Amino acid sequence: MTKRDTSGQITELERGRRYSIRVRLAPDDTHAAWHWSKSRKVYGNKAEATAALVAYKKELEDSQAGRDITVGEYAAAFQSGRKALGKVSPLTLERDQHEIDRITKYLGNVRVTDLDAQTIEDAYLRMSELDGASPDAIHKVHMKLSQIMRKAFLEELVDRNPCDAVEGVRRPKVSPQKRRETRITKEQALAFVRKLRQEPQDGRIVAVWLGVATGLRRGEALALVWDDIDLEHARLRIRKQYGKEKVLKDPKTTKSRRTISIDAQTVEFLTRWRDKQHALFAEAGVSQSSFSPVCSNELCGFLDPDNFSRWRRQFFVKEGLAHYASETTYIDRRGIERTRRTGYVGPNFHALRRAQATLLVAGGVDPKTVQARLGHESLNTTLNIYAEEVGENDRKAADYMGKLLEG
């Protein structure tokens, strides 16, 4: 049964339970005559279907009024909406803003309804030529633009996501050489731990130890206070992270907030450091408390993440884990000869986290336990590490069988 008036239509699909509604629309830029909107299913009784039709009319009127919205305006609204909902971490919002700024720069004045694959491809070409954007950077922009335009499609501003028609934008594969250069193997990790034991303890060395021994992210390690460390029961809690904003904030994801066990060597390492830090704080006239940072700086405060990363790169080079692509000497204004090193080649702090995961996998720890310890939001992240490790073990298995068959 269908009820029609000059502006809307309700069609009964299942008596008293399911209806289809659509709205009569006036001529516009793409339609020369009156036309029907897309149909929409409504579950409920007739009164609910009528109310839904009224709401649908209002929605379409608002949408029609907003058909002139530009990509820049829509992207800004998209970002503001995610921030207001609070379902995305501040760190993710901050990282996404870089891609949104590029989208706004190159596509900001284009109407959402006019955006097509050719316009997008032309924008990517200009990003590459004018900004020097790498294939990886363009891939990140494309993923973010596709997410934004999917929302526009779901809100029925566009009939399809134009990003789906853009070809050739793929995430560049990491070369085998770069993968080797940025990875810390099991053997390197174990040798590195032995060297760490011989280093004079300070907050930076402690942060690196925690990266290897527990797989903490840099921000998680730098955010630890002594109240998070339970040496008696050999465990620590990850409740905060400390990033470049230099404020304590919530962890990256809900699964990042966790409590993990620590080994006896780490308990001994942290106990020695706590005692040493107590003495250092006393010399500076500061009282060590449960809220003192574990990875403290020379001023008894939290380590600056950027300064720590600069030190960490130099430390990795000193320990043979990395090198600089270029070294040049020069004379400064005071006549002192100095060395400028550029082009760091080697692992970052996150590589310690991956090394921890690889060591756990090699030790036969199951994927769910590894996921929980590292705070991986998705099990797939953990399983990818397993797949890599299984590949290595498979070669060892084949070599072992070859030796057996020789006899």
Side-chain angles (χ1 to χ4, degrees):
M1 176 181 175
T2 299
K3 178 181 178 182
R4 177 182 298 179
D5 59 28
T6 57
S7 60
Q9 183 184 78
I10 300 176
T11 302
E12 189 176 57
L13 302 177
E14 185 178 350
R15 187 174 180 83
R17 297 183 62 183
R18 190 161 60 98
Y19 297 84
S20 173
I21 60 174
R22 59 178 182 169
V23 177
R24 191 75 165 164
L25 301 175
D28 55 28
D29 294 342
T30 55
H31 299 86
W34 283 80
H35 57 285
W36 289 107
S37 69
K38 291 181 179 179
S39 296
R40 179 176 288 184
K41 299 290 190 301
V42 177
Y43 293 88
N45 56 33
K46 185 65 173 291
E48 290 171 321
T50 303
L53 179 61
V54 172
Y56 192 17
K57 288 180 188 177
K58 180 67 167 58
E59 178 185 329
L60 290 173
E61 288 170 359
D62 292 343
S63 174
Q64 190 66 30
R67 290 185 73 84
D68 288 333
I69 189 170
T70 65
V71 172
E73 292 167 340
Y74 194 76
F78 169 86
Q79 185 78 327
S80 297
R82 294 203 307 164
K83 184 176 181 180
L85 289 173
K87 294 184 178 180
V88 182
S89 73
L91 181 60
T92 299
L93 288 170
E94 181 184 332
R95 289 174 175 170
D96 287 352
Q97 190 60 49
H98 183 67
E99 278 71 52
I100 289 176
D101 287 343
R102 269 190 164 152
I103 290 169
T104 301
K105 180 177 179 180
Y106 289 95
L107 293 166
N109 294 328
V110 180
R111 292 197 313 174
V112 170
T113 52
D114 292 337
L115 191 63
D116 57 22
Q118 187 60 56
T119 304
I120 295 171
E121 290 172 1
D122 290 344
Y124 292 165
L125 182 61
R126 295 200 307 278
M127 283 182 202
S128 176
E129 293 176 344
L130 302 178
D131 271 2
S134 66
D136 184 58
I138 290 174
H139 176 264
K140 290 178 180 178
V141 170
H142 185 64
M143 291 296 98
K144 187 52 54 184
L145 180 61
S146 181
Q147 186 182 10
I148 291 169
M149 292 307 298
R150 172 170 168 72
K151 181 171 176 61
F153 168 72
L154 294 174
E155 292 182 344
E156 300 185 354
L157 278 178
V158 293
D159 293 330
R160 59 172 296 185
N161 187 340
C163 294
D164 294 342
V166 177
E167 298 181 349
V169 182
R170 296 183 180 86
R171 188 173 191 173
K173 292 184 178 180
V174 179
S175 68
Q177 179 181 350
K178 187 172 183 180
R179 189 179 294 277
R180 286 193 299 271
E181 291 173 340
T182 57
R183 184 185 180 194
I184 296 177
T185 65
K186 297 188 293 289
E187 294 74 21
Q188 286 176 317
L190 293 174
F192 189 46
V193 167
R194 287 193 290 271
K195 291 181 179 179
L196 283 176
R197 290 181 185 277
Q198 308 306 316
E199 290 286 334
Q201 283 185 321
D202 64 17
R204 300 170 302 188
I205 292 295
V206 173
V208 174
W209 177 282
L210 289 169
V212 179
T214 67
L216 295 188
R217 299 177 177 93
R218 184 190 71 173
E220 293 172 344
L222 299 188
L224 287 176
V225 296
W226 286 110
D227 190 50
D228 297 321
I229 310 291
D230 184 349
L231 295 174
E232 181 181 354
H233 297 96
R235 61 193 179 196
L236 63 82
R237 294 181 296 176
I238 296 94
R239 299 182 292 177
K240 294 290 182 181
Q241 61 176 335
Y242 190 76
K244 62 181 181 180
E245 305 91 345
K246 301 178 183 59
V247 294
L248 290 171
K249 56 187 181 180
D250 290 336
K252 183 179 179 182
T253 65
T254 54
K255 289 188 182 296
S256 296
R257 190 186 294 272
R258 61 200 188 278
T259 298
I260 62 173
S261 299
I262 53 178
D263 59 89
Q265 288 72 27
T266 298
V267 170
E268 187 270 335
F269 188 89
L270 290 175
T271 300
R272 283 196 295 115
W273 167 239
R274 184 185 59 182
D275 294 341
K276 180 177 179 179
Q277 187 195 71
H278 184 274
L280 292 172
F281 276 29
E283 288 178 11
V286 177
S287 297
Q288 185 190 54
S289 73
S290 59
F291 299 105
S292 298
V294 175
C295 304
S296 56
N297 60 21
E298 63 277 6
L299 299 176
C300 309
F302 289 94
L303 282 171
D304 181 295
D306 293 329
N307 290 341
F308 170 72
S309 289
R310 281 191 288 272
W311 170 86
R312 192 264 312 153
R313 285 192 290 270
Q314 295 172 357
F315 183 66
F316 279 13
V317 170
K318 187 190 80 156
E319 296 298 335
L321 293 175
H323 66 274
Y324 288 101
S326 174
E327 289 193 13
T328 56
T329 58
Y330 67 98
I331 306 298
D332 68 11
R333 293 178 179 178
R334 294 181 294 177
I336 300 174
E337 184 179 284
R338 298 189 180 278
T339 302
R340 179 184 291 113
R341 299 175 178 85
T342 58
Y344 174 83
V345 179
N348 56 18
F349 190 88
H350 198 82
L352 301 176
R353 177 174 168 80
R354 189 172 181 86
Q356 151 83 183
T358 304
L359 289 168
L360 293 176
V361 172
V365 180
D366 66 275
K368 288 298 292 182
T369 300
V370 176
Q371 180 191 12
R373 281 188 64 82
L374 298 182
H376 285 155
E377 182 71 12
S378 169
L379 182 59
N380 287 336
T381 305
T382 313
L383 291 177
N384 286 337
I385 298 171
Y386 261 78
E388 193 171 294
E389 184 65 24
V390 167
E392 291 185 9
N393 290 340
D394 183 61
R395 168 44 48 198
K396 294 176 183 177
D399 292 342
Y400 174 71
M401 285 303 302
K403 291 179 180 178
L404 291 178
L405 295 174
E406 285 177 358

